Coordinates of all heavy atoms in Angstrom, one line a residue:
F423 N 99.1 100.8 116.1 CA 99.1 102.3 116.0 C 98.0 102.8 116.9 O 98.1 104.0 117.4 CB 98.8 102.7 114.5 CG 97.4 102.6 114.1 CD1 96.5 103.6 114.2 CD2 97.0 101.4 113.5 CE1 95.1 103.4 113.7 CE2 95.7 101.2 113.0 CZ 94.8 102.2 113.2
R424 N 97.0 102.1 117.3 CA 95.9 102.5 118.2 C 96.5 102.7 119.6 O 96.2 103.7 120.3 CB 94.8 101.6 118.2 CG 94.1 101.4 116.8 CD 93.3 100.2 116.7 NE 94.1 99.0 116.9 CZ 94.8 98.4 116.0 NH1 94.9 98.9 114.8 NH2 95.5 97.3 116.3
A425 N 97.3 101.8 120.0 CA 98.0 101.9 121.3 C 99.0 103.1 121.3 O 99.0 103.8 122.3 CB 98.7 100.6 121.6
V426 N 99.7 103.2 120.3 CA 100.7 104.3 120.2 C 100.0 105.7 120.2 O 100.4 106.6 120.9 CB 101.5 104.2 118.9 CG1 102.3 105.4 118.7 CG2 102.5 103.0 119.1
E427 N 98.9 105.8 119.4 CA 98.1 107.0 119.4 C 97.5 107.3 120.8 O 97.7 108.5 121.3 CB 96.9 106.9 118.4 CG 97.3 107.0 117.0 CD 97.2 108.5 116.5 OE1 96.7 109.3 117.3 OE2 97.5 108.8 115.4
A428 N 96.9 106.3 121.5 CA 96.3 106.6 122.8 C 97.4 107.0 123.8 O 97.2 108.0 124.6 CB 95.6 105.3 123.3
G429 N 98.5 106.4 123.8 CA 99.6 106.7 124.7 C 100.1 108.1 124.5 O 100.4 108.9 125.4
A430 N 100.3 108.4 123.2 CA 100.9 109.8 122.9 C 100.0 110.9 123.3 O 100.4 111.9 123.9 CB 101.2 109.8 121.4
H431 N 98.7 110.7 122.9 CA 97.7 111.8 123.3 C 97.5 111.9 124.8 O 97.3 113.0 125.3 CB 96.4 111.6 122.5 CG 96.6 111.7 121.0 ND1 97.0 112.9 120.4 CD2 96.3 110.9 120.0 CE1 97.1 112.7 119.1 NE2 96.6 111.5 118.8
S432 N 97.6 110.8 125.5 CA 97.5 110.9 126.9 C 98.7 111.6 127.5 O 98.5 112.4 128.4 CB 97.4 109.4 127.5 OG 96.2 108.8 127.1
Y433 N 99.8 111.3 127.0 CA 101.0 112.0 127.5 C 101.0 113.5 127.2 O 101.4 114.3 128.0 CB 102.3 111.4 126.7 CG 103.6 111.9 127.3 CD1 104.1 111.4 128.5 CD2 104.4 112.8 126.6 CE1 105.3 111.8 129.0 CE2 105.6 113.2 127.1 CZ 106.0 112.7 128.3 OH 107.3 113.1 128.8
A434 N 100.4 113.9 126.1 CA 100.2 115.3 125.8 C 99.3 116.0 126.7 O 99.3 117.2 126.8 CB 99.7 115.5 124.3
S435 N 98.5 115.2 127.5 CA 97.5 115.8 128.5 C 98.0 115.6 129.9 O 97.2 115.9 130.8 CB 96.2 115.1 128.3 OG 95.7 115.2 127.0
R436 N 99.2 115.2 130.1 CA 99.7 114.8 131.5 C 99.6 116.0 132.4 O 99.6 115.8 133.7 CB 101.1 114.2 131.4 CG 102.2 115.2 131.0 CD 103.5 114.4 130.7 NE 104.6 115.2 130.4 CZ 104.7 115.8 129.2 NH1 103.8 115.6 128.2 NH2 105.8 116.6 128.9
S437 N 99.7 117.2 131.9 CA 99.7 118.4 132.8 C 98.3 118.8 133.2 O 98.1 119.7 134.1 CB 100.4 119.6 132.2 OG 99.6 120.0 131.0
G438 N 97.3 118.2 132.7 CA 95.9 118.6 132.9 C 95.3 119.4 131.8 O 94.1 119.6 131.7
Q439 N 96.2 119.8 130.8 CA 95.8 120.4 129.6 C 96.5 119.8 128.4 O 97.7 119.5 128.5 CB 96.1 121.9 129.6 CG 95.7 122.7 128.3 CD 96.1 124.1 128.3 OE1 95.9 124.8 129.3 NE2 96.8 124.6 127.3
Y440 N 95.8 119.6 127.3 CA 96.4 119.0 126.1 C 97.3 120.0 125.5 O 97.0 121.1 125.2 CB 95.3 118.7 125.1 CG 95.8 117.8 124.0 CD1 95.8 116.4 124.1 CD2 96.2 118.4 122.8 CE1 96.2 115.6 123.0 CE2 96.7 117.6 121.8 CZ 96.7 116.2 121.9 OH 97.2 115.5 120.8
R441 N 98.6 119.5 125.3 CA 99.6 120.4 124.8 C 100.4 119.8 123.7 O 100.3 118.6 123.4 CB 100.6 120.8 125.9 CG 100.0 121.5 127.1 CD 101.0 121.8 128.2 NE 100.4 122.4 129.4 CZ 100.1 123.6 129.5 NH1 100.4 124.5 128.5 NH2 99.5 124.1 130.6
S442 N 101.3 120.6 123.0 CA 102.2 120.1 122.0 C 103.1 119.0 122.5 O 103.6 119.1 123.6 CB 103.0 121.3 121.4 OG 104.0 120.8 120.6
L443 N 103.4 118.0 121.7 CA 104.4 117.0 122.0 C 105.8 117.5 121.6 O 106.8 116.9 122.0 CB 104.1 115.7 121.3 CG 102.9 114.9 121.8 CD1 102.5 113.9 120.8 CD2 103.2 114.3 123.1
S444 N 105.9 118.5 120.7 CA 107.2 119.0 120.3 C 107.4 120.4 120.9 O 106.5 121.1 121.3 CB 107.2 119.1 118.8 OG 106.3 120.0 118.2
H445 N 108.7 120.8 120.9 CA 109.1 122.0 121.5 C 110.2 122.7 120.7 O 110.9 122.0 119.9 CB 109.6 121.8 122.9 CG 108.6 121.0 123.7 ND1 107.5 121.6 124.3 CD2 108.5 119.7 124.0 CE1 106.8 120.7 125.0 NE2 107.4 119.5 124.8
C446 N 110.4 124.0 120.9 CA 111.4 124.7 120.1 C 112.1 125.7 120.9 O 111.5 126.3 121.9 CB 110.7 125.4 118.9 SG 111.8 126.3 117.8
E447 N 113.3 126.0 120.6 CA 114.1 127.0 121.3 C 115.1 127.7 120.4 O 115.6 127.1 119.4 CB 115.0 126.3 122.4 CG 115.9 127.2 123.2 CD 116.7 126.4 124.2 OE1 117.8 125.9 123.8 OE2 116.3 126.2 125.3

Side-chain angles (χ1 to χ4, degrees):
F423 76 92
R424 298 160 300 278
V426 168
E427 281 270 355
H431 293 302
S432 297
Y433 188 75
S435 304
R436 67 193 183 281
S437 67
Q439 177 183 312
Y440 190 89
R441 300 180 186 276
S442 167
L443 290 166
S444 63
H445 308 280
C446 184
E447 178 184 86

